[in-house]
Amino acid sequence: MLLSGSGKGQPGAVPGWVGYALLPVLNLVAAFVLSGLVILVIGENPVDVLSLLLSEALGYPEAIGYTLYYTTDYIFTGLAVAIAFHCGLFNIGGEGQAYLGGLGAGLVALALTGWPWPVVALLAVLASALFGAAWAFIPAWLQAKRGSHIVITTIMFNFIAASIMTWLLVDVLIRPGSQSPETREFDPGVWLPSMDRALGWFGITIPASPLNLSFLWALACCLLFHIFLRRTRWGYELRTVGRNERAAVYAGISPARNIVIAMLISGALAGFVGVNEILGVQHRVILNFTGGVGFVGIAVALMGRNHPVGIILAALLFGVLAQGGGQLSFEYPTINRELVMVIQGLVILFAGAMENLFKPQVETLFRRRGTAAADTGRG
C-alpha cells in the first residue's frame, strides 16, 4: 500500500519506503509500548519480560530452531492471505485450507510406506497443495460466479474442515486400538528430515528442534510468489483485477477467472502448512495441528504489506512471540499464554485495523521536509 502523494522528483513527495518500512516499525513500537504498560500493570518489569522473550526466542541455537519452525507456518499462511489480497480478496479460510493440506500430506505418507523420503516429500507437497486448493475452490467459485462474499464462505469452510477432520480421525483413519483421534505414525523412512539431520549430512552440527526442510520450501515460495506477481502476465492480470475490476474488464481481463486462480494459489500455499506440521514434525495426522496459524497469517500479510520480504520479517516476528512467549510463564508465573496472546493481539491491532494511525503525521513531516529542501534549492 503506497502512501498518497508518493512519487519521484516531486517537491514534498513521500518516499515509498515510508509506507513499506517506517510505518510498520512505528506501529510495532506502539504495540510493544502498550504491551509494556500491560505488563507493568500486572506488577512485572516490562524491560525484563521483553528481554527474556527475545532471549528465549533468539538467544541460543535450539530456541532459534523453534522460532524458525513457527516462522515457517506463518510464511505459508501469510503468502496465502497476501496473494488473495492482491486480487482484492480477503481469504480468512487459511486455517481450513491448511487443515486439508495436512490431510493430503498425511494420506501420501500413510500410503507410501517404504518409499524414499525425497519422493514422498515431493508427492506430499503436491498433495497438500491440491487439497488446500480444492478446499479454496468452492468459496472462490461462489464469489466469482454467484457473488457470495468470500469472507463468509471461507469462515464457514473453516468449521466444515474441522468437522470433516474430526470425523475422519475418529471413525475412519484412527489408529487401530487407539482412543486418541490420530492416525498411526508414519514410517520413519518417509519423514521430512529435520534441519539438524540435513545439516549433519554436510558435517554441520546444530541442536535438535522441530525446524525441518519445509523452511527452505517456504523461502522458495516467497521467491516464486514475487516472480509470479511481478514477472508474469498472470500475476499482472491478477493485480489488475485487485486494483480496479472495471478497468480489468475494459482491458479484456476476466475477474471471475482471476478470482478463482488467486484463491487456488492461496489455498495451495496454506496447504503447505501440512507439510511442515504433519510430514516434518508430528509424523501422523492429528486434530488441531494448525493451532490458529491461518488467522495469524492475516496479520503477517498486513504487517508485511503483502510483499514476500515483509512477510518473512513479519512471520519471524510472530515466530519470536510464539516461541519466546511460550517460555515466559516458567520465569514469571503471573504471565501466561493469554497475556502473550494479548501482545500478539496488540501487534495485530496496530498492524491491521490501526495501520494508518501515524500516516497523517508522517506524511506531513516528509512533505514539509521535501518542500523546505526544494525551496532551499531554488534559493
Side-chain angles (χ1 to χ4, degrees):
M1 182 183 297
L2 292 174
L3 292 178
S4 59
S6 60
K8 295 182 179 180
Q10 300 177 4
V14 180
W17 62 266
V18 171
Y20 285 109
L22 182 58
L23 284 180
V25 170
L26 290 176
N27 291 332
L28 181 61
V29 170
F32 276 111
V33 168
L34 196 53
S35 300
L37 294 177
V38 173
I39 294 171
L40 194 62
V41 167
I42 65 174
E44 301 292 352
N45 187 322
V47 175
D48 292 342
V49 170
L50 294 177
S51 297
L52 179 63
L53 186 149
L54 292 175
S55 175
E56 291 296 331
L58 302 171
Y60 50 97
E62 185 181 6
I64 294 174
Y66 274 87
T67 297
L68 294 181
Y69 151 67
Y70 291 119
T71 300
T72 303
D73 285 343
Y74 298 149
I75 289 176
F76 285 136
T77 54
L79 290 175
V81 173
I83 192 74
F85 273 155
H86 278 289
C87 195
L89 304 169
F90 195 2
N91 178 18
I92 306 186
E95 191 78 1
Q97 292 148 21
Y99 223 165
L100 267 292
L103 175 63
L107 291 177
V108 168
L110 288 170
L112 301 183
T113 297
W115 286 48
W117 75 261
V119 177
V120 175
L122 176 61
L123 294 177
V125 166
L126 295 176
S128 63
L130 178 62
F131 276 59
W135 201 244
F137 171 75
I138 298 177
W141 185 86
L142 290 173
Q143 168 79 36
K145 300 296 186 180
R146 312 298 296 180
S148 302
H149 203 290
I150 200 75
V151 170
I152 303 300
T153 53
T154 50
I155 289 176
M156 291 170 58
F157 268 63
N158 284 338
F159 289 101
I160 297 173
S163 299
I164 290 176
M165 290 293 288
T166 300
W167 168 67
L168 286 174
L169 292 177
V170 170
D171 295 329
V172 181
L173 299 175
I174 188 170
R175 177 165 55 90
S178 172
Q179 297 297 317
S180 179
E182 61 186 35
T183 67
R184 64 173 174 84
E185 188 174 75
F186 307 150
D187 175 24
V190 306
W191 294 1
L192 190 65
S194 60
M195 196 64 74
D196 58 286
R197 176 187 167 194
L199 291 178
W201 299 335
F202 303 96
I204 302 173
T205 303
I206 63 172
S209 72
L211 181 64
N212 57 75
L213 291 182
S214 60
F215 175 68
L216 301 181
W217 176 233
L219 297 180
C221 285
C222 291
L223 177 61
L224 295 173
F225 178 96
H226 177 75
I227 292 173
F228 173 79
L229 274 182
R230 302 295 175 180
R231 296 290 185 268
T232 69
R233 174 174 60 87
W234 304 286
Y236 172 78
E237 291 184 357
L238 188 148
R239 288 185 291 115
T240 301
V241 171
R243 291 290 183 88
N244 192 321
E245 188 171 316
R246 292 181 62 186
V249 173
Y250 183 78
I253 299 172
S254 169
R257 181 170 65 88
N258 280 278
I259 286 172
V260 173
I261 290 173
M263 285 298 294
L264 289 177
I265 297 173
S266 181
L269 288 166
F272 292 146
V273 169
V275 177
N276 182 39
E277 292 290 340
I278 297 301
L279 203 61
V281 179
Q282 305 296 341
H283 306 137
R284 62 193 187 280
V285 183
I286 62 174
L287 287 178
N288 302 320
F289 67 84
T290 53
V293 296
F295 300 113
V296 176
I298 298 172
V300 169
L302 288 171
M303 192 164 192
R305 294 301 193 263
N306 301 319
H307 190 282
V309 174
I311 287 171
I312 292 173
L313 296 176
L316 180 60
L317 168 65
F318 281 93
V320 167
L321 291 175
Q323 167 58 18
Q327 303 297 315
L328 289 180
S329 59
F330 294 105
E331 187 73 22
Y332 296 96
T334 56
I335 297 179
N336 52 26
R337 178 172 176 80
E338 284 68 30
L339 182 60
V340 177
M341 293 179 65
V342 169
I343 297 175
Q344 290 180 335
L346 289 172
V347 173
I348 294 172
L349 177 66
F350 280 92
M354 301 176 66
E355 64 174 332
N356 294 323
L357 179 64
F358 302 106
K359 180 179 176 180
Q361 295 85 348
V362 171
E363 281 188 326
T364 300
L365 175 62
F366 275 86
R367 286 200 181 101
R368 286 177 179 173
R369 291 184 59 182
T371 302
D375 291 341
T376 302
R378 294 191 193 100

